[in-house]
Amino acid sequence: MSGHITLTYQQRLESLRSIKLEQTREKQRLKGAMDMDDQGQVLPPMDQAEMIEIISGSGVKVKEFVLKDFRAQTDHPSGGIFGPKSCGVNFKALLDVHPTYIQPLNSMAGVYRVYFISHRDPAWNPEFDCLPITKRLEQYGVIDHGIGGVQHFCPDLTIGLELGWEGLKNKVQHYHKLNPDKSDFYDGLEAILTGVQHWIQRHSDDARRMAEEEEHPQLIENLLTIADICERLVYLPPNSFREACQWLVFFQAVAKMYNGSGEWGQLDELLRPYYEKDMRRGVLTDEEAVFHIACLLLSETAYIQLGGPDAQGNDLTSHVSFLILEAIHQLKIPANIALRVSDDMNPDLFRRGLEILCEDKMGFPKFIGDKPLIEGCLKSGFTVDEARRRIYAGCHWMAVPGREYGLMDMIKLDFAWLFDRALKEMMADNSIAPSVEELWNRFEKLIRGAVVAIALGIDFHMEHMHQVFPELFLDLFCHGPVEKGEDISHGGVDIYKIGVDGASLATVADSFAAIEQRVEKDSRLTWEELMNHIESDWQGKEGEQARRLMKTIPRFGRGGSSADEWAVRISKTFSRIVIEKKTPNGFSMIPGLFSWARVIDYGKRLGATPDGRKAGEPVSHGPNPAPGFNCGKPGTPTQLSTAVASVQPGYGNSAPLQLDLDPSIAEDDEGIEKTGALIRAHFDLGGTMININVMNKKQILEAYEEPSRYPDLIVRVTGFSAYFASLSDEMRKYIVDRLV
């Protein structure tokens, strides 16, 4: 290599990380704030794309790019792309013009540039009128109702790894012959697979062209290897560790561009057979494996579980589990990696996860409580095998890979909105004397009404989604859809447990407790005076005095308070109502407590509340106590852990604890041990999941004032991690408020 310096894997990773940061800055500049996962998108060439504004699958308004060369092929009067064949044919057309991406330093090729869903306008088929149901849902403040929701389950990627793209196509053709009446479905699947194969082949062709122009011998070799691997993967399943990683990159890029899906699931177990095979053959080193994994993780912040049980309860931790942790430790970019914590887990994996969490201070890994989740699943009707195989696949949810459809994280019931309505309706009813008990009865009735409306929305979605925007690409990696000729949203799999999350728990628990204490017990305010202050948003000197009076009651999280009792009562009542009945069409619902990043949007639409919160301010997050619950301070980790454990719904859908720890807590071995003990104690109390930030308060405050000073500062926002500088001013303030 005369004249050229041989690059180490670490040098290549450092360069790739710098490129990632520059690409992120460009996304920040063009797209603005991104209050969601930091995703692997690399922007398309600007001469090939234009920017539009869309509503994401999570209900957030975002800016996205569409390709100028793509034109929808549709004969629907609305101009929309609906049904399996139209979606499949049009997605192939998008793949045919979708730019390739090859970075000579990277051992993996391919990322997504644009979303297919961004090209779908209108998103819902107007032939299926959902307005009557959505209007009914709006009466209960339910705007995240799941109708039209996509992905949010977990594919079984062993299907694709074992068959390869051509094998998947052969499988589709085989079952098409057995189900000739399902031609639209199979034609759509085959179109997608053909598009994927063509796209991968273009990567091979482009890599060879780049190799001809490259001067560095090491990079020429890398590009030619990429070309050879891509060419093989067009028709053959992966046969080596690097090929398996490359296959997963292509899978995730296509899944992301189709409908925003983002999960690899049990990544250590997916890669283990290839690692062991290559090690036996003597063609792979751990250093090289870590580099390939890092390049895989660079392509997308997909959701990953490490460790945990197999169907028989045996721990799945392997050497690959440690390699994945080491890869993200070296790479130091946002990631969504979770460790499954059980009594039988490998203690070294747990320890290494804690060390990386405390050393890197990037909000990962997160931790999952194995026993409480399995016990909850059994109460919800899962078998023991299913409960064990249910793995981390998103911000807060789990799924049986390839066998379960759940719309997890899509449906949200905002307790604060229902409480506000109950309070106003009670005060407007001159036939009764207002009381906390009357308020509770009305609130409970509204929860029940909201759940009934949500159930109708679920049935509507399940009846029509396959005709509107079927999962198609993910159908290929599930057990049943291809065999039956049915989309996963319409009977393709065997397990249907639909997640329904409650939000703003602490806002309502504190409001009930404040009214009970200050109005009914202390008689410091009358009902009428309270309503006047709320409606005026606590204006004036008297309003501020009243606000402080309501805000300074012992709040949820303090322990042993009335607010703690109210929080438990709300959670248990909500959970009972959700679980006690199926939807009219027979689908089971599972309660959880999680608000994702919706705390800001839910707060914007809400006036002042009796807990002292002002109009428009964010509501509380998921099952967590409200910021400042401990006499104006954030609260101790033990207080937070105990409080969140006490309100777990207990049916297999998680209610994550959000912890923001000061680095001093875990700066030495003793601190790391204490952090581990806190995690295990939370799960012993019944907690299900923990998101932890180890954050320097001074640094966060400085980054809040001038985000550009800390372009690589990573935080776990809720269930997802992101660059702090990528977040909106409102979301950055929300994170700061958790610390002060």
Side-chain angles (χ1 to χ4, degrees), residues 17 21 332 362 709-714 723-724:
R17 181 172 176 270
L21 285 170
K332 290 181 172 55
M362 295 186 293
R709 285 183 58 194
Y710 297 91
D712 57 352
L713 176 61
I714 298 168
Y723 289 110
F724 189 74

Side-chain angles (χ1 to χ4, degrees), residues 16-26 711-712 723:
L16 289 169
R17 181 172 176 270
S18 296
I19 292 169
K20 162 76 172 177
L21 285 170
E22 181 56 39
Q23 291 169 342
T24 299
R25 281 192 287 268
E26 184 67 4
D712 57 352
Y723 289 110

Side-chain angles (χ1 to χ4, degrees), residues 110-128:
V111 294
Y112 87 98
R113 306 288 198 119
V114 299
Y115 285 116
F116 179 51
I117 53 177
S118 300
H119 292 80
R120 296 183 64 252
D121 186 21
W124 187 261
N125 190 333
E127 294 175 22
F128 310 122

Side-chain angles (χ1 to χ4, degrees), residues 266 268 305-310 313-317 339-342 345-346 349 370 388 391:
Q266 191 81 49
D268 49 1
Q305 175 175 301
L306 301 180
D310 62 13
N314 302 308
D315 182 34
L316 289 172
T317 300
L339 300 188
R340 184 81 164 254
V341 179
S342 69
M345 80 173 295
N346 185 309
L349 183 67
D370 180 68
R388 287 171 175 160
I391 63 173

